[in-house]
Amino acid sequence: MRCLTIIAFVYILRDGGAYGKTRRSEILEQETRLAVGGNTNLTEREDAVNNCLMQAKFRECDYGFTNPQFFNFSHHYFSYKEIIKHSKVYRMIKDIPKGAALHVHDMAMLIPDYLLNVTYMDYLYVCFEQNTVKLRFSKAAPKDTCAIKWQLMKNARKHSGDIEKFDEKLRKHFTLVCDHPDETYPTIKESWDTFLGYFGTVAPMLSYRPVWEQYFYDALKAFREDNIMYVEVRSVLPDLYELDGTTYDPVVTAKAYKKSIKRFMKDYPDFLGAKIIYAPSRLVDRQQLGVYLETARRIKKEVPEIFAGFDLVGPEDQGNPLIEFVPQLEEAGKDLNYFFHAGETDWYGTLTDDNLVDAILLGAKRLGHAYALPKHPILMEEVRKRDIGLEVNVISNAVLSLVRDVRNHPLALFLAQGLPVVLSSDDPGVWEADPLSHDFYVAFVGVASRLSDLRLLKTLALNSLKYSALDDADKINAVDKFNQRWNDFIVNFNCSKY
Amino acid sequence: MRCLTIIAFVYILRDGGAYGKTRRSEILEQETRLAVGGNTNLTEREDAVNNCLMQAKFRECDYGFTNPQFFNFSHHYFSYKEIIKHSKVYRMIKDIPKGAALHVHDMAMLIPDYLLNVTYMDYLYVCFEQNTVKLRFSKAAPKDTCAIKWQLMKNARKHSGDIEKFDEKLRKHFTLVCDHPDETYPTIKESWDTFLGYFGTVAPMLSYRPVWEQYFYDALKAFREDNIMYVEVRSVLPDLYELDGTTYDPVVTAKAYKKSIKRFMKDYPDFLGAKIIYAPSRLVDRQQLGVYLETARRIKKEVPEIFAGFDLVGPEDQGNPLIEFVPQLEEAGKDLNYFFHAGETDWYGTLTDDNLVDAILLGAKRLGHAYALPKHPILMEEVRKRDIGLEVNVISNAVLSLVRDVRNHPLALFLAQGLPVVLSSDDPGVWEADPLSHDFYVAFVGVASRLSDLRLLKTLALNSLKYSALDDADKINAVDKFNQRWNDFIVNFNCSKY
């Protein structure tokens, strides 16, 4: 029987007995070392940065501890997102090199104002229905059904009489943010319905080929500005189309990615690149899954340099569990790397919950969310043993109603257990969050231990490269580049700036 | 290096490799066996009961899974407590022998209607202030300060003009239940303020010696009727008083307990008894703690047969952490058994959080709440190794704002890990819950795995005896009696009755 080093900590403890100060510090020390970042040593300069950071963090935490009614993280993210910018900790985190974003959905990377701008482009048609709005670029009025009538957005806006009000109303379709989130989204039903509505609205607009290519270029720009150096994006790879109605197949969409990435890398050579994870809907039958897997293989063949692997998306509780597709996925696993969403659920002991065991046994390189993992101690050890990256998206889980007070988010346990965590942001545009800084901030101050410090942030950033789909050589290069940037950050750090 | 059997499960797993059906069922089987109740075998008759129970549980869970907006346990307890009685699962749980309640606070065991009845007793004086009400039994008007004036409750009620309205208003001081809990208790501040206000209101009324003695007798009656056979009650042991103003010291209060218990046992010889845990406020200095510990020793000497041990109570985030008192508590630990509240907090990495390590190292026999334990993997293994009972109070933690959706309650992880859990109800009277059945129901349907069944319920009931402060002989007797009652329940079970 082989015992893992991590577990071995447990047995270093002497047998039960009287209280001892040494014993106490041993235990606390063991917990510190076991936690994510616990084995990272800081240089003298890093220590100085850390002191500045922790002074600010302690101030925030301790104010909340003494005045719990004002502790932001016990409330809905929407109720405090606007004041985050006043946080000193946040402003430092913003400047910290954060490595990679490994779990983001392509059509949800940019904020509503960006999408609103897109609606100012020529040839965009709009159809206003009861509670929804349909959008599509076209030379002539689109043929898609419309309860009332298709009109050019330009005309609709002009004839609205009040452009500001018109845009304000339109913008609401591009965001989940609202004034009274607890009332607007009392349960997961309301938040997911609105969330799926968002994609229904924006997908047809963004799938217009030139918009698609520009959107991703601009998304990378926004992510780079948030001090992210590499991105892995999940995409349903929608059929792109032209103004004349020509539509393409998903391989063309993948190629459009390649083109955008290439252009971006040329303009920003310090950026390390991006890869795609083909992630179509899980709400399909086996036959359709077969089509998806075939498409994945074709994409891998056509654009191998940007293809990371395969996943299935959609509301996990409603979609098919992985077990439904095991034989097909097992077979395709010989060609494809998996990055499955798994355990994005509060439902313990259900088929959704079982996705964790199947994702792990299917050899997933990383798990999307893995929110339910702590309810599965054996699987937790499998994750550790197989070194499977856990893509944690705290704000997403809060906004999409898995948890209210983020101090109850399982990330706290993953960090405590020293599991291979990477932080990501899922769909930051939809909740008007920073590409990654808001998630780092909420995780650092709201979820992690009060005592977790710069070592945690550095380890999380490094984890995002370690658990990326970059090949070994690129990974080494990425870590090198990261270390340079990290050192620049440390050397140029000025506490009084914040 | 000695590896625990439980941990050993982890290593039974073969090394990483392709997906295998056998492997999958191995993992699921290991998780089932590791979980609380996983090693319990059911008889054929128990199996039949289990089928009936699980059919009802599946119906409830699956309805919620399909209609998450109507899943009660994602909402505040107050929003669904009235409809619990319609649940078939609940009605069965009500009838199931549940063993012991090991974590309840004496002045919060009975519902507001009981307290309202007490206000009909002679010699009760009342003082209505801004938002509070003061109550005290006395021959003449009490001398305690009163912003307006002390008057006999009888007269105040008579002169109110509308007795029903008067009582309805008065009753509000005896409960936390309200119509819009999310608005009334947006954070832990509001819920705890109201909660502490409750004790401030009722303590002076209940400390009238005859009321005190009767209250606990009636509390035991209510608990017995909820199929509980033994109780350990935490008490601040307030100074009891007589109508003429005579007051006694805490030892007399302890003796009053002995008297009530004796009387109750005579009237209900099938009941196994009750013990007290002396649990004064943690908001004190070392000198006062010294007084408390001395009192504890005196009580142990005077009424050893009902004295279980010592604890400290009050809002844990605000009170002194245990570390403040370690030398004193270490010394007193030679004479006293400890049952410390520890980790009843969402604050990770704070002094409150550290109470867990100190409670464990001080040799606590059980931990009250231990809500924060999963954030401490090394301590979690200490709990397992030292076999420390975890007193979990799900509804309390929800009402007192630690968690909203109980599916995020750490109990799920304790159950999954097979830790020594006992369920209790903390202050059921204050939230108008059953003595224990509501907590069992919420834990069983709202927190535990959908697949957890009668084996879980039976194990939880047995745990409550195993981790009680009964001595070995009494424990054997208790388990015997429990088994008889359990068998009666199984033999007489009639599925169609529910």
Side-chain angles (χ1 to χ4, degrees), chain A residues 3 13 24 358 371 408, chain B residues 3 19 24 358 371 382 408:
Chain A
C3 285
L13 298 174
R24 187 182 199 268
D358 292 310
Y371 187 91
N408 287 306
Chain B
C3 286
Y19 185 99
R24 186 182 200 271
D358 291 311
Y371 187 91
E382 279 291 293
N408 287 306

Side-chain angles (χ1 to χ4, degrees), chain A residues 46 97 99 229 272 458 461-462 465 475-491:
Chain A
E46 284 175 325
M229 54 205 287
L272 292 176
K458 189 178 181 182
L462 282 165
L465 302 174
K475 223 175 254 187
I476 291 170
N477 175 48
V479 172
D480 267 0
K481 289 269 168 56
F482 172 82
N483 284 332
Q484 284 168 32
R485 255 189 253 183
W486 180 266
N487 290 336
D488 286 350
F489 166 74
I490 295 293
V491 168

Side-chain angles (χ1 to χ4, degrees), chain B residues 9-254:
Chain B
F9 277 148
V10 175
Y11 309 101
I12 294 168
L13 298 175
R14 293 180 303 249
D15 283 329
Y19 185 99
K21 273 191 192 165
T22 323
R23 188 78 183 282
R24 186 182 200 271
S25 38
E26 260 173 31
I27 290 178
L28 296 182
E29 170 69 16
Q30 283 161 13
E31 292 207 333
T32 306
R33 279 190 5 239
L34 176 58
V36 173
N39 291 309
T40 305
N41 294 314
L42 298 182
T43 63
E44 211 170 305
R45 285 198 98 123
E46 284 175 327
D47 253 337
V49 175
N50 195 32
N51 286 341
C52 175
L53 174 72
M54 292 308 281
Q55 221 168 36
K57 177 172 174 177
F58 286 159
R59 206 175 304 123
E60 279 194 41
C61 287
D62 297 349
Y63 178 77
F65 187 80
T66 317
N67 307 277
Q69 70 274 36
F70 302 131
F71 187 62
N72 288 332
F73 307 100
S74 70
H75 298 281
H76 195 289
Y77 169 68
F78 294 165
S79 73
Y80 64 85
K81 68 179 281 302
E82 282 313 311
I83 55 171
I84 290 181
K85 56 179 166 287
H86 303 301
S87 156
K88 207 165 158 172
V89 177
Y90 162 72
R91 292 199 303 264
M92 288 183 220
I93 283 178
K94 187 103 190 111
D95 286 350
I96 285 179
K98 283 170 285 289
L102 300 184
H103 186 118
V104 281
H105 296 273
D106 54 2
M107 286 188 268
M109 293 172 79
L110 289 172
I111 54 174
D113 305 278
Y114 182 91
L115 297 171
L116 196 62
N117 263 338
V118 173
T119 69
Y120 274 84
M121 286 176 65
D122 281 342
Y123 299 112
L124 180 64
Y125 277 84
V126 62
C127 159
F128 290 105
E129 294 186 335
Q130 191 70 27
N131 297 308
T132 56
V133 56
K134 288 179 174 167
L135 300 165
R136 192 175 172 87
F137 285 95
S138 187
K139 204 82 176 176
K143 291 185 184 66
D144 316 54
T145 56
C146 170
I148 307 170
K149 60 158 189 184
W150 284 102
Q151 52 186 319
L152 272 169
M153 179 63 90
K154 194 193 296 190
N155 297 338
R157 182 173 273 124
K158 197 165 66 193
H159 298 139
S160 71
D162 187 337
I163 291 178
E164 205 173 316
K165 219 166 162 182
F166 179 89
D167 280 359
E168 193 189 314
K169 215 175 145 191
L170 186 59
R171 189 186 181 282
K172 287 211 168 88
H173 294 279
F174 303 147
T175 182
L176 256 67
V177 176
C178 64
D179 287 337
H180 304 286
D182 291 326
E183 285 92 74
T184 308
Y185 310 112
T187 74
I188 196 169
K189 162 129 182 69
E190 293 79 11
S191 52
W192 263 94
D193 281 355
T194 313
F195 184 57
L196 293 175
Y198 165 88
F199 288 102
T201 302
V202 305
M205 175 171 82
L206 295 180
S207 310
Y208 174 42
R209 191 196 42 80
V211 168
W212 186 265
E213 289 173 9
Q214 190 58 38
Y215 180 93
F216 192 63
Y217 180 98
D218 292 330
L220 291 181
K221 203 166 154 194
F223 274 59
R224 180 180 166 277
E225 278 163 17
D226 201 31
N227 285 301
I228 294 162
M229 52 205 287
Y230 171 75
V231 170
E232 285 178 17
V233 64
R234 277 162 167 91
S235 181
V236 297
L237 295 178
D239 296 345
L240 301 186
Y241 66 89
E242 303 283 1
L243 281 188
D244 63 5
T246 312
T247 63
Y248 305 103
D249 91 341
V251 177
V252 174
T253 317

Side-chain angles (χ1 to χ4, degrees), chain A residues 69-185:
Chain A
Q69 70 275 34
F70 301 132
F71 187 63
N72 288 331
F73 307 101
S74 70
H75 299 280
H76 195 289
Y77 169 69
F78 294 165
S79 72
Y80 65 85
K81 68 179 283 304
E82 282 313 311
I83 55 171
I84 290 180
K85 56 177 166 289
H86 302 302
S87 156
K88 209 165 155 170
V89 177
Y90 163 72
R91 291 199 304 263
M92 289 184 221
I93 282 178
K94 186 102 188 116
D95 285 351
I96 286 179
K98 284 170 284 288
L102 299 184
H103 186 117
V104 281
H105 295 274
D106 54 1
M107 286 187 270
M109 294 172 79
L110 290 172
I111 55 175
D113 305 278
Y114 182 92
L115 297 170
L116 197 62
N117 263 339
V118 172
T119 69
Y120 274 85
M121 286 176 65
D122 282 343
Y123 300 112
L124 180 64
Y125 277 85
V126 61
C127 159
F128 291 105
E129 294 186 335
Q130 191 71 25
N131 297 309
T132 56
V133 55
K134 287 179 175 168
L135 300 165
R136 193 177 172 85
F137 285 94
S138 188
K139 205 82 175 176
K143 293 189 181 62
D144 317 54
T145 55
C146 169
I148 306 171
K149 63 158 186 188
W150 283 102
Q151 50 186 321
L152 271 169
M153 179 64 90
K154 194 194 298 194
N155 296 338
R157 182 172 274 126
K158 197 164 67 190
H159 298 140
S160 71
D162 186 337
I163 291 179
E164 208 174 314
K165 218 167 163 181
F166 179 89
D167 279 359
E168 194 189 313
K169 213 175 146 190
L170 186 59
R171 188 186 182 282
K172 288 210 169 90
H173 294 279
F174 302 147
T175 181
L176 257 68
V177 176
C178 64
D179 287 337
H180 303 286
D182 290 327
E183 287 90 75
T184 310
Y185 309 112

Side-chain angles (χ1 to χ4, degrees), chain A residues 2-3 11 13 19 24 31 330 347-348 358 361 371 375-376 378 382 402 407-408 449-450, chain B residues 2-3 11 13 19 24 31 330 347-348 358 361 371 375-376 378 382 402 407-408 413 450:
Chain A
R2 189 167 51 90
C3 285
Y11 307 103
L13 298 174
Y19 185 97
R24 187 182 199 268
E31 291 206 334
E330 204 180 349
W347 289 103
Y348 182 18
D358 292 310
L361 291 180
Y371 187 91
K375 293 170 181 167
H376 299 278
I378 304 291
E382 280 290 293
L402 286 186
R407 291 174 295 176
N408 287 306
S449 166
R450 174 180 178 275
Chain B
R2 190 168 50 90
C3 286
Y11 309 101
L13 298 175
Y19 185 99
R24 186 182 200 271
E31 292 207 333
E330 205 180 347
W347 290 101
Y348 182 19
D358 291 311
L361 289 180
Y371 187 91
K375 292 169 182 167
H376 299 279
I378 304 289
E382 279 291 293
L402 286 186
R407 291 174 296 175
N408 287 306
L413 318 185
R450 174 180 178 275

Side-chain angles (χ1 to χ4, degrees), chain A residues 162-229:
Chain A
D162 186 337
I163 291 179
E164 208 174 314
K165 218 167 163 181
F166 179 89
D167 279 359
E168 194 189 313
K169 213 175 146 190
L170 186 59
R171 188 186 182 282
K172 288 210 169 90
H173 294 279
F174 302 147
T175 181
L176 257 68
V177 176
C178 64
D179 287 337
H180 303 286
D182 290 327
E183 287 90 75
T184 310
Y185 309 112
T187 74
I188 198 169
K189 163 130 180 68
E190 293 79 11
S191 52
W192 264 93
D193 281 355
T194 314
F195 183 57
L196 293 175
Y198 165 88
F199 288 102
T201 302
V202 305
M205 177 172 80
L206 295 180
S207 310
Y208 173 41
R209 191 193 44 78
V211 167
W212 185 264
E213 290 174 5
Q214 190 59 38
Y215 180 93
F216 193 62
Y217 180 96
D218 292 330
L220 291 181
K221 205 168 153 192
F223 274 59
R224 181 180 165 276
E225 277 163 16
D226 201 32
N227 285 302
I228 294 162
M229 54 205 287

Side-chain angles (χ1 to χ4, degrees), chain B residues 355-409:
Chain B
N355 282 338
L356 282 166
V357 67
D358 291 311
I360 291 169
L361 289 180
L362 284 164
K365 302 288 173 200
R366 298 193 305 261
L367 298 176
H369 297 288
Y371 187 91
L373 187 64
K375 292 169 182 167
H376 299 279
I378 304 289
L379 293 179
M380 207 138 79
E381 284 313 313
E382 279 291 293
V383 162
R384 191 194 297 286
K385 205 173 70 173
R386 295 170 180 239
D387 204 20
I388 300 171
L390 304 177
E391 305 166 347
V392 174
N393 308 283
V394 175
I395 296 176
S396 167
N397 299 149
V399 169
L400 294 176
S401 310
L402 286 186
V403 65
R404 190 194 195 188
D405 187 325
V406 295
R407 291 174 296 175
N408 287 306
H409 193 287

